[in-house]
Amino acid sequence: MDRIRIRGGRRLTGTIRIAGAKNAALPLMAAGLLTDETLELRNLPLLSDIDTLSNLLVQHGVTLTMRSVNEEDGHRSRVFGLTTPDITSTTAPYDLVRKMRASVLVLGPLVARCGFAKVSLPGGCAIGTRPVDLHLKGLQAMGAEIELESGYVLARAPQGLQGGEVVFPFVSVGATENLLMAAALAKGETRLVNAAREPEVTDLARCLTAMGAQIEGAGTDVITVQGVDRLRGAAHDVIADRIEAGTYAMAVAASRGEVELIGARTDSMTTVFDHMAEAGVRIAQTERGVAVSADWVRGVDVMTEPFPGFPTDLQAQIMAMLATADGASMVTETIFENRFMHVPELMRMGANINLHGRSAMVRGSQDLTGAEVMATDLRASVSLVIAALAAKGDTVVNRVYHLDRGYERLEEKLAACGADIERVSS
Ligand code: EPZ
């Protein structure tokens, strides 16, 4: 298993190119199941999660073409062509779904297109049990019959889905995306109330609209969809990854460096950058993206919330940045029940953190020291890298396959900015 070694104490300087958003790309790929024409997706990141979902889609009958694009600044991205003349299998098997819970996003499209789906329950993961009850209740509100059998969801709508009203008791990104795709081909009008407002949901709605869907209200908490008989192909550019951009911004601040994040956008990161500015980090929009620099960081309080609040996917990363600050910070996680797996590992590096239920009191210090640490989930693992950049001495992060799920060429991007970092194959 690969590991990453980092010798801390170097300021990050230069530029980092931000890739396409993983959490936009995954639902967009699932949308390929909704049409028998070709959906072309551009600016896809080179990530293992994308490959995992590709394998699942191919076994459903998607013909997938891929080409690499090397841009003038050396950035590499991928263009996928997804064409599904027929759905050849309506089953999403456990051995594929368990590798990545976002596979559950094929459920809505399969039921909408074929009237049937047998999708393995995704199971939990390190950050929580992560049920899919809201996905299922939403499909039932659209006329689907749902059964659970041997760890699988069986969803039936032999006469097709009917438009309906779905009121989410709390915000769910995945459930909003699954039901948005299902509603696009349902008969009649569907209203999604208390819908997720994340930019990745808006990006999906933009692509579905280009495919011929009739959607109003994406980006607000009420989305209305008029179902259509069929959807056509389209070409869509995946939005930049705001979580990757936020991650690198926090790494730059922790190293007291100065970096321009090429392709980053401030409009989907207002709350993130407001918190960082409050902590003393300088953030400025540039022609190419966002410039980030810091000489000093103070403690600030952070509470994760659905968009436009502070994203849970940046909670571990800002905690690592705040572990190097002058002063104390209260970090509260309100979305997932177990998303502090990075805390004991950060404490092994000398971070002063006390957990009180869903809140962590972080007392910053400039005396973090390198250590051998364990990655547990995607965002926890990158928070260890951020702390390692600021720590004195060497850190080795184990189980970096977690990193590869969500960060393309992380060590290359950081090394190009002066970090002393290398991947060690063991
Ligand atoms: C998406 O996961 C993201 N993944 C997650 O990013 C992100 O953390 C999360 O949204 C919140 O922003 C992708 O987009 C692929 P939810 P999702 O449904 O859709 C509970 C990363 O690091 N819930 O918004 O699974 C759930 O347990 C990943 O890139 C139910 O109870 O998240 C959680 O506590 C991690 N029942 C809360 O709602 C349901 O049916 C929010 O989950 C669905 C969710």
Side-chain angles (χ1 to χ4, degrees):
M1 257 188 254
D2 285 1
R3 299 181 298 166
I4 283 185
R5 183 200 58 75
I6 299 149
R7 177 159 299 171
R10 299 270 190 93
R11 292 181 66 242
L12 296 179
T13 57
T15 62
I16 294 177
R17 180 67 152 72
I18 300 303
K22 167 179 83 81
N23 290 352
L26 295 172
L28 287 165
M29 289 169 68
L33 292 167
L34 291 167
T35 175
D36 58 2
E37 296 184 12
T38 297
L39 173 61
E40 182 176 277
L41 297 176
R42 305 180 190 123
N43 193 34
L44 284 171
L46 314 172
L47 297 173
S48 59
D49 269 9
I50 303 287
D51 300 334
T52 303
L53 186 57
S54 300
N55 294 336
L56 177 63
L57 293 174
V58 164
Q59 67 91 41
H60 284 309
V62 175
T63 301
L64 193 142
T65 61
M66 184 186 78
R67 61 187 165 84
S68 289
V69 175
N70 291 312
E71 296 181 21
E72 68 285 348
D73 61 357
H75 177 69
R76 279 173 295 155
S77 66
R78 287 189 285 189
V79 177
F80 276 12
L82 299 103
T83 312
T84 319
D86 293 300
I87 301 284
T88 54
S89 165
T90 53
T91 298
Y94 174 65
D95 66 324
L96 288 176
V97 173
R98 69 182 172 81
K99 288 185 188 141
M100 186 191 59
R101 52 171 289 97
S103 307
V104 75
L105 290 169
V106 302
L107 177 63
L110 288 175
V111 179
R113 177 97 183 261
C114 311
F116 178 71
K118 179 179 177 183
V119 174
S120 169
L121 283 165
C125 70
I127 64 178
T129 55
R130 307 199 55 195
V132 291
D133 53 316
L134 300 187
H135 301 239
L136 306 183
K137 284 180 190 139
L139 286 173
Q140 282 173 319
M142 297 170 71
E145 286 168 28
I146 300 287
E147 264 183 80
L148 300 184
E149 183 189 281
S150 315
Y152 280 79
V153 172
L154 306 179
R156 291 185 180 83
Q159 311 307 319
L161 291 170
Q162 309 296 323
E165 174 150 291
V166 180
V167 181
F168 294 107
F170 48 83
V171 171
S172 163
V173 172
T176 300
E177 291 166 341
N178 233 336
L179 296 167
L180 182 58
M181 290 189 280
L185 288 180
K187 295 179 182 64
E189 177 177 285
T190 298
R191 271 165 48 89
L192 303 179
V193 181
N194 199 18
R197 300 166 55 188
E198 271 67 5
E200 293 76 27
V201 174
T202 308
D203 200 38
L204 174 63
R206 197 178 298 121
C207 179
L208 291 170
T209 303
M211 294 166 71
Q214 294 178 18
I215 300 171
E216 297 293 330
T220 74
D221 60 355
V222 177
I223 303 177
T224 304
V225 185
Q226 301 297 337
V228 295
D229 294 338
R230 63 184 299 276
L231 291 173
R232 54 180 182 266
H236 182 79
D237 291 302
V238 178
I239 53 171
D241 194 324
R242 63 192 170 101
I243 303 303
E244 187 194 22
T247 300
Y248 284 122
M250 291 160 191
V252 172
S255 76
R256 308 298 189 262
E258 181 167 6
V259 169
E260 184 180 18
L261 304 177
I262 310 295
R265 299 173 49 142
T266 53
D267 56 357
S268 59
M269 303 185 68
T270 306
T271 307
V272 174
F273 288 152
D274 285 353
H275 280 78
M276 293 186 72
E278 191 190 332
V281 181
R282 289 182 298 276
I283 307 276
Q285 178 83 51
T286 66
E287 271 179 32
R288 300 190 299 176
V290 177
V292 180
S293 62
D295 308 315
W296 175 80
V297 174
R298 75 164 70 88
V300 294
D301 292 344
V302 179
M303 178 180 284
T304 65
E305 292 173 303
F307 193 86
F310 190 92
T312 174
D313 289 351
L314 284 171
Q315 177 259 109
Q317 298 93 312
I318 201 163
M319 187 185 290
M321 182 190 94
L322 294 170
T324 74
D326 274 347
S329 308
M330 179 73 87
V331 179
T332 303
E333 171 60 54
T334 70
I335 306 291
F336 288 105
E337 69 266 28
N338 186 32
R339 204 166 196 178
F340 283 146
M341 307 281 278
H342 44 288
V343 170
E345 298 304 307
L346 289 172
M347 291 170 74
R348 297 191 62 246
M349 300 173 72
N352 181 344
I353 304 172
N354 288 303
L355 290 181
H356 305 278
R358 288 200 158 190
S359 291
M361 172 55 77
V362 183
R363 291 181 175 84
S365 108
Q366 280 72 47
D367 303 324
L368 297 189
T369 54
E372 180 143 9
V373 291
M374 186 70 74
T376 51
D377 62 87
L378 169 55
R379 308 305 177 180
S381 47
V382 81
S383 83
L384 303 179
V385 171
I386 291 173
L389 292 168
K392 292 180 183 63
D394 283 359
T395 295
V396 174
V397 181
N398 292 291
R399 295 189 184 172
V400 292
Y401 59 84
H402 289 292
L403 269 177
D404 297 336
R405 293 190 48 192
Y407 293 95
E408 65 172 43
R409 303 179 298 114
L410 172 126
E411 66 274 11
E412 285 177 39
K413 293 186 175 185
L414 289 174
C417 289
D420 181 349
I421 182 171
E422 64 177 341
R423 184 179 286 252
V424 178
S425 300
S426 51

